[in-house]
Structure formats: structure tokens, C-alpha cells
Amino acid sequence: MPEENKATVAILKQYIASHLQEPITARDLARAAGYSQYHMMRMFKEETGQSPFEYIRQLRLTAAAHALRGGGCKVVDVALDFVFGSHEGFTRAFANGFGISPKKYASHPMPEGWLIPRHYLNRSKLNSEVDKMDKTAVIFTQVVERPARKLILKRSVNAADYFAYCEEVGSGNEDNSAAWDILCGIKEALYEPVGLWLPENMRPAGTGIYAHGVEVAADYTGSIPEGFDVIDLAPCKLLVFQGEPYDDEFFMDAVGQCMSRIKKFNPEVYGYKYAPELAPKMQLAPMGWRGYIEMYPVV
């Protein structure tokens, strides 16, 4: 990793340490780094092996553990001091990370100043002293009808996911891809732009699986941006998965958790079957207030 990138990550760590008891957003970190949110996230992950918000979460839990060992602090006060949204959320995060509830940890009869080593934050939960229940995520599902329409898209050469795609086509003005900015400017779009995983029958040789695109009416006669393609899509049903709203600070964890749950879903239990040949799998822009959303074609 270039030395200047190491220096940028050091600046980010310093910024995080000095704002640990304040809300920190991806925009804040990008501003401190002097890069887009995408490049800031990528540099941090390459250097540390963690996303910035995984790193922040670990620092906050470790600092919270130290505060609890100091005595005289209520668990709820420590939770709020370190920007956890609720007593329950802090207790769950602490127990998942350390394998002991914060209340029990605060009263543990150990020498003064004793602190759980930070590497315990990555431990298995096999001996957790709270309910031995995996993280749960409520996924809302519905089936929607899509009419015949066209899909305007910017293909990749090799990309199989969002990050590889942005690296290939370049970043835009709002930390999405450069293609996304252009797609947002198509006023005749039926819906918002989406990330796409293209099925084999819609992927010419020498093109990648992942792309960004937007749907327009089947009779669309407007201009097609240079370097973009058009696919005619037949009418179909889409199975929509929508996760619970989440804190944008932890969007990578929330999205990853939601995606893993969706992969385990069996539509045949409800009389449907995935039909990838009809349309791409679609991914809406992750927004904490509405939850993460993916859409799959089904019959």
C-alpha cells in the first residue's frame, strides 16, 4: 500500500480516537481523509482488514469496558456515552463481542484496572453468557409485477460486485459510481437506479456480472448515454426482500447480514421459483432509513 495511503489511514484513526464519543458518519471520515467515501473505505479496509465502522465499534466497546471497570457508571450511561442507540443494543453488542454481559463484567471480581483483551471482540460466541441465539434480521418480502420495459445499463468488464465495479468505472460525485450519476440524470426512468447482477443470457462475452442500470418504458425513444447498453426486459414478477432499517454508521454489517439471510430464503416454500433468465437480480442503493433491498425475478 502506498505510503500516502498509510498516512491517510493514520489520520482517520486519529480522527476516530478524538471523536469516539460523538456520532461519526462515512461523510465525516471521507472529509477527514480528503477522499470519496468509497476510496476512504477501500483504503481503510486494505490497511486494517476492517471497515472503518467495524474499527470504530471495537474501539467503542473496548473504551466502554474500561469505563465500566472504573466503577460508579451505569450501563445505560456508558452505552449513551459511546454512541450506542440503546441500553439493549449496547448489551447485545458487548455480550456478542466479549461473551459476558456489561453488567456482569462491571461487577466481576478481578484486579483493579483489569480489561478484556481486545482480540476477544473477534471470539466465538460459544460460551456467551447471554442467550445463545444468532443475530436475527427481519426480512420483509412481497411480490411485485413489472411490465415490459427497457434496461439502460453501463456494463463492466470483470466486476462481480459493487466495489469492483466502482473501481473499474470510476467514482461519481456522491460516492456512487460515475455511471450512477449519469443514470440519475435520465428523467424518463420508471424507478430509481439499481445495482445489477446480470444472468448469463444477458451478459455478452467479455463483460462482467455486475453493472449499474435504470429501467425505462418499453417504448422509450430517448437518447442512450455513450458507452451504455440497452436490454429489452419481458413482463415478470419480482420477489422483493427488504431488511429492517439500520444505523448508517453500521451499514456494511447491516447489509452483509441481510444479504446472507436472503441467500438462505427458499421461494419454493411459497409456490415460487427463481427465474434469473427473465431479469437481473437488482440491488437498490442501501439507505438506513428504509433498510437494504434486493429484488429477484420469479415465476
Side-chain angles (χ1 to χ4, degrees), residues 239 241 264-275 298-299:
L239 176 57
F241 297 92
K264 297 176 183 177
F265 185 86
N266 179 10
E268 296 184 16
V269 173
Y270 302 95
Y272 290 93
K273 182 171 66 173
Y274 290 129
V298 293
V299 293

Side-chain angles (χ1 to χ4, degrees), residues 18-155:
S18 62
H19 294 80
L20 201 59
Q21 292 181 263
E22 305 168 25
I24 300 174
T25 67
R27 187 179 295 274
D28 293 332
L29 294 174
R31 190 180 297 115
Y35 289 92
S36 71
Q37 292 182 34
Y38 165 70
H39 285 293
M40 175 275 297
M41 293 265 190
R42 185 175 62 81
M43 283 193 298
F44 198 94
K45 185 76 177 278
E46 287 179 357
E47 172 68 11
T48 67
Q50 300 175 291
S51 75
F53 294 110
E54 289 171 331
Y55 177 81
I56 291 169
R57 188 180 182 84
Q58 287 197 356
L59 280 189
R60 283 177 172 161
L61 284 173
T62 303
H66 185 74
L68 287 170
R69 285 302 303 149
C73 294
K74 294 181 179 179
V75 172
V76 65
D77 291 336
V78 172
L80 296 177
D81 284 345
F82 290 97
V83 205
F84 287 88
S86 67
H87 178 285
E88 293 79 10
F90 172 64
T91 296
R92 185 166 54 250
F94 194 98
N96 285 343
F98 292 128
I100 185 173
S101 72
K103 183 176 181 180
K104 189 166 186 178
Y105 172 68
S107 60
H108 204 280
M110 295 292 287
E112 182 65 27
W114 182 78
L115 184 65
I116 298 173
R118 214 175 95 183
H119 67 263
Y120 273 74
L121 286 163
N122 298 317
R123 64 187 287 281
S124 165
K125 295 192 298 175
L126 291 177
N127 297 315
S128 176
E129 299 182 26
V130 294
D131 292 340
K132 296 182 180 179
M133 180 173 66
D134 289 339
K135 291 180 181 178
T136 60
V138 175
I139 306 292
F140 304 94
T141 59
Q142 62 175 318
V143 175
V144 299
E145 298 277 352
R146 277 287 207 264
R149 66 239 186 256
K150 294 181 187 294
L151 175 67
I152 301 174
L153 73 159
K154 174 68 173 178
R155 298 184 186 277

Side-chain angles (χ1 to χ4, degrees), residues 218-237:
D219 60 357
Y220 176 77
T221 58
S223 63
I224 306 300
E226 184 177 355
F228 285 66
D229 286 353
V230 179
I231 298 174
D232 289 311
L233 296 178
C236 72
K237 292 181 172 66

Side-chain angles (χ1 to χ4, degrees), residues 213-283:
V214 73
E215 295 164 286
V216 295
D219 60 357
Y220 176 77
T221 58
S223 63
I224 306 300
E226 184 177 355
F228 285 66
D229 286 353
V230 179
I231 298 174
D232 289 311
L233 296 178
C236 72
K237 292 181 172 66
L238 292 177
L239 176 57
V240 181
F241 297 92
Q242 183 170 5
E244 296 176 276
Y246 57 86
D247 187 335
D248 282 319
E249 181 178 351
F250 303 114
F251 83 95
M252 291 189 75
D253 291 339
V255 170
Q257 183 181 359
C258 194
M259 291 177 79
S260 68
R261 296 299 189 275
I262 292 172
K263 286 180 181 178
K264 297 176 183 177
F265 185 86
N266 179 10
E268 296 184 16
V269 173
Y270 302 95
Y272 290 93
K273 182 171 66 173
Y274 290 129
E277 71 282 356
L278 295 180
K281 181 177 79 173
M282 300 183 186
Q283 171 192 57

